[in-house]
Amino acid sequence: MIHPTTLLAAFDGSPVKAQLVHLNAVDIAVIAIYFAIVIYIGFYLKGSTNTSEEFFMAGREMTAWIAGLSFVSANLGSLELMGWAGSAYQYGILATHWYWIGAIPAMLFLGIVMMPFYYISRTHSVPGYLNLRFGEGTRGLSAICFAFMTVLMSGINMYSMAIVMKVVLGWDLNFSIWVSSITVALYVALGGLRSAIFNEVLQFLLIWLGALLIPILGLIECGGWNNLKTQIAHRMGTTDYMHLWSTTAHFRDNPMGIHWTGIVFGLGMVISFGYWTTDFLVVQRVLSANNLRSARMAPIIGAGFKMLVPFIVILPGLLALSVLPFHLVPQDVAVVTGQHSYNEVLPLMLVRYCGPGLLGLGVTALIAGFMSGMAGNVSAFATVWTYDIYGAFLNKKASDSHYVAMGRWCTFIGVLISVGTAYLVQHAASIMDYVQALFSFFIAPLFGTVILGMLWKRATKAGGFWGLLAGTGTAIGLWAWVRHDPGALRYVALSVDAKAMAEDMYRALWSWLVCVIVTIVVSYMTQPRPETELEGLVYGATKIPEEHDDHWYQKPIVWAGVIAATFIVLNIIFW
Amino acid sequence: MREPISIWFFSGVLFLIYGVIITAQGIWELSHPPAHPTVLFSLHASIWWGGLMAIGGLIYTIHFRPHRKQ
């Protein structure tokens, strides 16, 4: 959910300075072993991906744990980690909101409320659900937007990886782009979604093992959490860096320039619900679960791990405030002075504590994060293209093996488009801003369409289509308005003190509201579908299968309650 | 005929290999300390972190090794 451009800006165009990390033979061996394993997994899984259900949906055989880890891992890319560690250095513990309120409630809502409808409808994708609920127009609109934005995002991810590898390791851009793209194309084309999921689970474990030493050793160096708080307060001259909510009563009281209403309603209710419940990249992982209970448990397990991620992302940023002997600076200053920028905080902390071997492990975790991000994008692209564009509009009656072949070719073509995008972005960085923005335009209104479709029987085909179109149009309009006249931000975010982060939150909120209002108004003006046609698609018209758990502690609702309670307690502790 | 290999087996093998390599590197550094040691080098994180990875990896490798189908 972070804009990679925010981080990339820290690397792209930087003055020439020594690479941050020097690898030795042991580190290179650690990286090489990772590549060997992932390619082997691709070849190994090829034998079990013969049907479209196996290739695109991993045979719907994943356990709750595998689907859950893959679900959370699809969002745990290296740019996220490095970007948010930098944000923690810059803004303090406020950055944690993107991991807690910006994820946990939405993930629990997906597991408890929405998953039954996705799963019972046996849809292959989110556009597929929209087709069942609102018809082909809405499906086409969402599928085309999603497919092209996803493959472009993959290219941006690829370019981001190449830039970071160049700055951190001194690797050549072309080498990084081609090695990563060939590897990803091989293992996704061979093993399909199952291969992507396996690698996401590996990546998740690698990130934890590679990054967990930083907070452990950092806290030892600082002398514990209380000493860390004291040292940061002393160094920064304020205690604002260590509070989640108490500084958000006004835009100017906190370094992010955000207000609690934006965090709660924009981030917590619209952006995060839009991303975690309707972005097919993450939802596809849960759809691969082996039964409804696993499908409901997967996002809940994911939420539990997501809640822990600040320990390896936010805490290193805070520790850097205390232990680094020099100050990190914003990108524009770093370009002029050659100092390190905020976003280099994670590699800097890695180098500080990790010697040969451990350093290779940390770098492998970063590479794995980038590659699994690309694989996630490419596998989701292949699914949506094959099922929701090619199979829905271009060739409706092909054989199953034809669709599998199309999926494999799509993977290669998707990777090639990504490579092309990576080179395009290299020569015109502004393209990246537009692609990022386009992606965000679509997610918030899509959540409005999907949630009304699932929870409101009266929502009609025309209502869904025009609501989605109007919401997306609103997001584009607001974005263009602020881009043309930066002063317009005061109207969009409702305050003269609002900053860029607040713009994203309020733009999402308004576009979602417009989508919901237009959907409701148009639905009341048009004829609803008979209730019998909504069976399995809408709350109130669907009989949810009863789950027969042997013990109370096996019920998804119990674990969702535990996660929710922990979430509330953590927010109070760090208030 | 063997049952399909679990992702946990792959994870176990990978971390077992990594654990052995990192622990060996840590032990080697006891007799050949680096010219520019990392902060808290005295804690020898490579040895215990690598050791933990190797033990965890070994447990997973054994527990999730593919069995012959009955």
Side-chain angles (χ1 to χ4, degrees):
Chain A
M1 289 200 291
I2 190 175
H3 287 218
T5 41
T6 316
L7 171 62
L8 267 187
F11 296 104
D12 215 7
S14 299
V16 178
K17 55 188 173 190
Q19 67 201 57
L20 291 177
V21 176
H22 293 271
L23 302 179
N24 73 7
V26 176
D27 300 315
I28 300 289
V30 168
I31 296 170
I33 290 167
Y34 169 74
F35 275 88
I37 289 257
V38 296
I39 290 175
Y40 176 78
I41 288 176
F43 277 99
Y44 172 74
L45 292 176
K46 183 177 184 300
S48 55
T49 47
N50 301 313
T51 67
S52 59
E53 191 81 352
E54 288 169 344
F55 187 83
F56 296 111
M57 305 306 296
R60 297 197 199 252
E61 289 172 350
M62 298 296 116
T63 63
W65 278 91
I66 293 177
L69 292 187
S70 170
F71 173 72
V72 72
S73 175
N75 175 257
L76 203 60
S78 300
L79 281 175
E80 289 265 333
L81 299 181
M82 296 169 75
W84 285 116
S87 294
Y89 184 95
Q90 193 177 0
Y91 304 120
I93 208 168
L94 273 176
T96 309
H97 283 308
W98 273 257
Y99 287 92
W100 288 354
I101 195 167
I104 307 301
M107 292 164 101
L108 298 181
F109 187 78
L110 174 66
I112 297 301
V113 178
M114 295 176 74
M115 212 55 233
F117 301 106
Y118 278 136
Y119 201 81
I120 293 169
S121 67
R122 301 296 289 175
T123 181
H124 295 95
S125 64
V126 174
Y129 174 81
L130 291 176
N131 176 49
L132 297 171
R133 181 65 183 88
F134 293 119
E136 293 208 320
T138 313
R139 172 200 233 175
L141 179 63
S142 68
I144 290 168
C145 290
F146 178 82
F148 287 100
M149 288 308 108
T150 298
V151 83
L152 293 180
M153 285 294 290
S154 172
I156 288 174
N157 207 27
M158 194 179 282
Y159 177 67
S160 312
M161 173 186 172
I163 289 288
V164 172
M165 290 301 134
K166 183 181 175 190
V167 174
V168 176
L169 301 171
W171 287 0
D172 178 63
L173 277 180
N174 297 313
F175 173 80
S176 297
I177 287 176
W178 284 104
V179 168
S180 62
S181 59
I182 290 170
T183 309
V184 167
L186 260 182
Y187 77 72
V188 177
L190 289 168
L193 180 63
R194 197 189 306 255
S195 191
I197 286 178
F198 270 37
N199 281 291
E200 278 159 7
V201 173
L202 270 189
Q203 172 232 339
F204 182 84
L205 300 172
L206 273 172
I207 282 180
W208 274 94
L209 288 169
L212 193 57
L213 261 184
I214 296 174
I216 292 173
L217 294 177
L219 282 174
I220 292 173
E221 188 185 358
C222 279
W225 174 251
N226 286 332
N227 276 354
L228 172 65
K229 285 201 292 188
T230 310
Q231 286 162 16
I232 291 176
H234 176 71
R235 195 165 178 185
M236 307 310 292
T238 171
T239 58
D240 289 352
Y241 280 75
M242 304 304 280
H243 293 285
L244 271 179
W245 293 102
S246 62
T247 60
T248 58
H250 196 280
F251 288 93
R252 19 167 222 280
D253 291 344
N254 61 79
M256 261 189 189
I258 51 175
H259 189 265
W260 70 267
T261 53
I263 297 174
V264 173
F265 299 110
L267 174 66
M269 289 180 64
V270 177
I271 295 179
S272 107
F273 274 70
Y275 178 78
W276 288 103
T277 65
T278 61
D279 187 335
F280 181 54
L281 178 66
V282 288
V283 174
Q284 186 181 25
R285 274 78 197 127
V286 190
L287 290 176
S288 70
N290 54 10
N291 57 45
L292 178 57
R293 184 181 174 279
S294 294
R296 300 182 80 179
M297 276 303 292
I300 296 167
I301 291 170
F305 281 103
K306 186 77 178 174
M307 208 152 48
L308 297 174
V309 172
F311 192 71
I312 55 168
V313 176
I314 307 299
L315 190 49
L318 297 175
L319 286 163
L321 277 171
S322 167
V323 301
L324 286 185
F326 46 84
H327 278 290
L328 306 182
V329 294
Q331 166 57 18
D332 50 347
V333 178
V335 167
V336 176
T337 63
Q339 292 169 278
H340 292 294
S341 76
Y342 296 134
N343 296 304
E344 292 172 58
V345 67
L346 207 54
L348 284 169
M349 294 295 276
L350 191 68
V351 174
R352 182 177 180 80
Y353 296 119
C354 296
L358 288 174
L359 196 55
L361 182 65
V363 170
T364 305
L366 286 180
I367 294 173
F370 278 118
M371 292 208 325
S372 73
M374 278 185 255
N377 280 311
V378 169
S379 61
F381 166 76
T383 308
V384 168
W385 169 267
T386 307
Y387 277 128
D388 297 304
I389 299 174
Y390 181 75
F393 299 104
L394 304 176
N395 187 356
K396 291 185 178 180
K397 293 178 181 171
S399 65
D400 192 67
S401 59
H402 177 83
Y403 288 131
V404 175
M406 173 56 70
R408 291 195 207 278
W409 279 110
C410 250
T411 304
F412 281 113
I413 292 166
V415 168
L416 276 179
I417 299 173
S418 302
V419 172
T421 309
Y423 282 111
L424 199 64
V425 170
Q426 188 182 351
H427 294 105
S430 59
I431 291 171
M432 195 151 51
D433 292 328
Y434 292 108
V435 174
Q436 289 290 336
L438 280 172
F439 198 75
S440 71
F441 294 157
F442 192 62
I443 282 294
L446 180 62
F447 171 61
T449 306
V450 172
I451 198 68
L452 281 175
M454 278 185 182
L455 301 183
W456 192 44
K457 287 184 277 188
R458 185 67 180 73
T460 65
K461 185 175 166 182
F465 178 79
W466 290 109
L468 184 60
L469 199 61
T472 309
T474 303
I476 295 170
L478 291 176
W479 176 79
W481 187 23
V482 175
R483 198 154 179 101
H484 176 69
D485 171 20
L489 178 57
R490 72 176 65 184
Y491 304 111
V492 175
L494 307 176
S495 171
V496 289
D497 299 311
K499 293 182 184 173
M501 289 246 187
E503 184 200 344
D504 292 343
M505 295 180 191
Y506 281 95
R507 189 176 63 224
L509 186 58
W510 302 138
S511 61
W512 179 81
L513 271 176
V514 168
C515 169
V516 168
I517 291 167
V518 171
T519 305
I520 291 172
V521 171
V522 175
S523 292
Y524 274 123
M525 293 163 61
T526 47
Q527 194 66 26
R529 289 169 68 182
E531 196 166 319
T532 50
E533 290 182 14
L534 301 177
E535 168 73 28
L537 300 173
V538 189
Y539 184 80
T542 304
K543 188 173 178 343
I544 309 288
E546 284 185 30
E547 293 162 27
H548 301 285
D549 298 306
D550 292 337
H551 304 284
W552 60 268
Y553 55 80
Q554 291 178 322
K555 292 183 185 301
I557 189 74
V558 171
W559 287 105
V562 170
I563 301 290
T566 313
F567 163 75
I568 292 167
V569 169
L570 284 172
N571 275 279
I572 293 170
I573 290 174
F574 295 101
W575 189 269
Chain B
M1 191 175 170
R2 288 187 177 276
E3 63 185 23
I5 302 177
S6 154
I7 177 60
W8 306 120
F9 176 76
F10 284 117
S11 310
V13 170
L14 184 65
F15 295 128
L16 175 59
I17 297 171
Y18 279 174
V20 169
I21 292 174
I22 290 169
T23 309
Q25 171 71 24
I27 293 170
W28 189 79
E29 283 175 349
L30 288 177
S31 55
H32 301 80
H36 303 288
T38 54
V39 173
L40 297 179
F41 174 75
S42 58
L43 294 180
H44 299 292
S46 298
I47 297 178
W48 52 266
W49 195 248
L52 284 174
M53 283 179 69
I55 293 168
L58 183 64
I59 292 170
Y60 264 57
T61 303
I62 293 171
H63 186 74
F64 291 101
R65 71 188 185 282
H67 295 280
R68 282 188 183 281
K69 274 187 177 173
Q70 296 296 315

